[in-house]
Amino acid sequence: MFDFLKKKISSWVSKPSPTSSKKDKKKSKENQKTKGKSKKSTKKEKVTIKNEIKEEISLTQDEIDAENKKLTQSEKESKEDVENILEEAEKSPETDKIEDKQEQKGNFFTKLFKKITTSKLTQEDFDEIFEEFEITLLENNVALEAVDKIKENLGKDLIEQQIKKTEAEARILQSLKDAILSVLIEPPNLIKQIKEHKGVYTIIFFGINGTGKTTSIAKLAHLLKENDISCVLAAGDTFRAASIEQLQTHAQRLSVPFIASNYGSDPASVAFEAKKYAEQHKIKVVLIDTAGRMYTKSNLIKEMEKIIRISKPDLKMFVGESITGNDALEQCKTFNEAIGIDGIILSKADIDEKAGTILSVSHITNKPIYFLGVGQNYKDLLVFSKKEVLKNLGLN
Ligand code: GDP
């Protein structure tokens, strides 16, 4: 989860600042000397940079010191950039794959740092520097609307601001964190909400086939059990072959009651029966599965509206696959426009290395992600938290 984006952001923010110690720099040069000789880069740009470094390391330490004295401050900083870039490239071969040419000329973070500490950052400077970050976000499935919001908030914090050199690094980092947080929504604590709710709490699940809806219902049933909350599963998908048996298998494994009817029967009546059963047996939560079709046709929307009218859900949960990026966003938007969702579960986040959907879906729909599905077992359901997202991005 977040692997690509994390690598990129980590490579930016973990680099030593231009004020890092000489000892570190010397150590880094020594590393280049041994590693640089053995490793062959296939990238043309890297070869150029390595040649510069090779030339430099063939000098004696005295000669290096003499050379250094001749350099102006800005030349020194550019040289340090090159060293830093090489250090990163050598340290993590996988990072090579996602690093672009632009980064080798000085990355987003370094450029921002330099601009902010030498003069006030203008809108023009910022637009130019942000372009690199923008591309990274878009490449990682972050929707354009979310990218724009991140840019707007980061810009608000940094453009035309008087920022002391000593505070610049922390300030950029904090602004970056705040900008990312601005596109996320912290979900309510569902377990607490259910416990505080008077009477039966009903959750209805929507999402297209194969996205992990049934598995997510089972995972949530497991989580409820772990929190001593009783539940009943309702097989409201009376359309897809084997869907009823699939949910029934989960109910049996989890030892929770199960309400179903025949294929082709009215899903609203299944939901109604499940709710009645819950009330009669003092069961706290009803989890209702629905058919996995896109609700763009008016007769299907009517069918959904009927289930909602009859079951009066406390929570309408959309389940989408994190991994499908824009498709998941479009599905979520469609369901939201058709029936109005309250929350989101993003499944398969464990196999989503880009994770842009996680960063975009709440901003696009203004609904919180409640959980991330992170595997095929019952326990693989993570409560979503903004803090965890930052942690996953290496920004905590
Ligand atoms: P439904 O048609 O929407 O009900 O989808 P299912 O619940 O049947 O899930 C479809 C497939 O996705 C199954 O093989 C599940 O095991 C798998 N799946 C569901 N959630 C996750 C998840 O969070 N991570 C992974 N890796 N696989 C998942």
Side-chain angles (χ1 to χ4, degrees):
M1 194 166 42
F2 287 109
D3 279 5
F4 289 162
L5 206 52
K6 182 181 175 180
K7 265 177 205 155
K8 190 81 173 179
I9 292 178
S10 302
S11 77
W12 292 342
V13 301
S14 66
K15 283 180 184 178
S17 72
T19 51
S20 65
S21 73
K22 280 189 180 161
K23 202 173 147 199
D24 288 345
K25 284 175 214 158
K26 196 177 166 201
K27 206 170 142 200
S28 152
K29 268 183 215 162
E30 279 162 6
N31 283 342
Q32 303 316 328
K33 194 172 179 177
T34 38
K35 288 181 194 163
K37 275 183 183 168
S38 60
K39 191 181 170 193
K40 278 186 186 172
S41 169
T42 51
K43 290 183 185 171
K44 211 176 165 188
E45 293 76 9
K46 251 176 211 160
V47 171
T48 318
I49 296 165
K50 280 190 176 183
N51 285 340
E52 283 178 32
I53 299 293
K54 270 185 187 167
E55 262 176 47
E56 182 199 320
I57 58 176
S58 66
L59 299 173
T60 65
Q61 190 57 49
D62 285 349
E63 284 168 329
I64 290 170
D65 290 344
E67 280 296 314
N68 275 344
K69 267 186 199 159
K70 282 187 221 156
L71 290 169
T72 64
Q73 187 57 29
S74 72
E75 281 171 326
K76 268 190 189 175
E77 283 178 4
S78 330
K79 205 156 83 67
E80 279 159 9
D81 272 352
V82 173
E83 288 167 4
N84 290 342
I85 290 156
L86 254 173
E87 185 183 9
E88 280 303 308
E90 294 287 359
K91 226 177 8 192
S92 166
E94 314 93 88
T95 312
D96 286 0
K97 293 178 201 150
I98 54 164
E99 279 183 353
D100 53 24
K101 289 174 190 171
Q102 225 175 347
E103 176 146 346
Q104 297 180 18
K105 291 181 208 147
N107 65 34
F108 169 72
F109 192 85
T110 319
K111 283 184 204 163
L112 259 184
F113 185 90
K114 266 191 204 166
K115 267 279 174 227
I116 283 174
T117 51
T118 48
S119 58
K120 268 191 194 168
L121 185 75
T122 65
Q123 179 72 52
E124 242 182 352
D125 296 333
F126 179 70
D127 288 347
E128 197 184 305
I129 296 171
F130 189 82
E131 210 180 300
E132 181 194 340
F133 193 28
E134 189 162 5
I135 292 166
T136 302
L137 291 172
L138 292 170
E139 279 173 352
N140 283 283
N141 281 346
V142 182
L144 191 60
E145 292 98 315
V147 175
D148 286 345
K149 180 78 180 167
I150 292 171
K151 182 177 178 184
E152 186 192 324
N153 284 343
L154 188 62
K156 253 190 230 162
D157 250 18
L158 302 175
I159 295 167
E160 301 293 349
Q161 299 297 313
Q162 198 87 50
I163 301 170
K164 283 189 195 149
K165 193 163 184 164
T166 49
E167 289 165 7
E169 193 171 330
R171 177 78 176 264
I172 297 170
L173 265 180
Q174 192 54 50
S175 303
L176 189 58
K177 285 184 203 175
D178 291 344
I180 291 172
L181 290 177
S182 73
V183 293
L184 303 172
I185 300 174
E186 192 74 17
N189 181 331
L190 183 60
I191 298 296
K192 190 164 170 265
Q193 254 185 359
I194 290 172
K195 283 187 173 166
E196 286 170 3
H197 183 82
K198 285 198 179 77
V200 174
Y201 192 97
T202 304
I203 308 176
I204 188 161
F205 295 80
F206 303 101
I208 66 164
N209 284 336
T211 52
K213 193 158 39 72
T214 316
T215 312
S216 299
I217 293 172
K219 286 175 183 175
L220 190 54
H222 176 259
L223 182 73
L224 293 174
K225 268 192 88 176
E226 282 198 325
N227 284 277
D228 296 320
I229 299 170
S230 55
C231 70
V232 52
L233 307 190
D237 181 358
T238 57
F239 182 78
R240 177 172 69 91
S243 68
I244 298 176
E245 290 76 12
Q246 196 187 344
L247 196 66
Q248 186 173 25
T249 306
H250 286 304
Q252 283 165 352
R253 282 194 199 142
L254 292 161
S255 306
V256 295
F258 172 72
I259 304 294
S261 184
N262 300 321
Y263 286 107
S265 63
D266 184 358
S269 75
V270 177
F272 181 78
E273 286 304 319
K275 216 163 167 180
K276 201 164 86 184
Y277 181 91
E279 278 156 2
Q280 284 169 352
H281 294 82
K282 301 233 171 308
I283 287 171
K284 189 68 195 170
V285 180
V286 180
L287 302 175
I288 306 170
D289 193 8
T290 63
R293 292 171 287 175
M294 283 294 266
Y295 292 91
T296 42
K297 290 187 184 148
S298 62
N299 57 329
L300 293 176
I301 292 174
K302 279 201 181 108
E303 183 181 297
M304 269 305 102
E305 284 169 348
K306 189 176 171 191
I307 309 182
I308 292 168
R309 207 170 52 243
I310 302 284
S311 65
K312 297 186 184 60
D314 300 285
L315 194 63
K316 288 175 277 177
M317 192 78 100
F318 167 78
V319 181
E321 284 174 305
S322 173
I323 197 155
T324 53
N326 203 40
D327 277 357
L329 297 179
E330 284 304 317
Q331 287 164 20
C332 192
K333 260 162 70 175
T334 307
F335 276 95
N336 194 31
E337 280 156 19
I339 45 145
I341 60 160
D342 302 307
I344 299 157
I345 294 181
L346 282 184
S347 65
K348 309 186 189 180
D350 54 311
I351 46 172
D352 179 11
E353 287 173 309
K354 296 184 169 180
T357 318
I358 301 172
L359 289 181
S360 314
V361 74
S362 290
H363 182 64
I364 303 265
T365 58
N366 201 24
K367 306 293 174 195
I369 300 173
Y370 276 74
F371 299 101
L372 294 177
V374 289
Q376 307 204 34
N377 298 313
Y378 292 142
K379 61 170 178 31
D380 295 330
L381 190 69
L382 276 189
V383 174
F384 182 84
S385 101
K386 289 165 66 158
K387 214 171 140 195
E388 277 302 307
V389 171
L390 286 186
K391 206 166 139 190
N392 275 304
L393 288 171
L395 283 172
N396 53 331

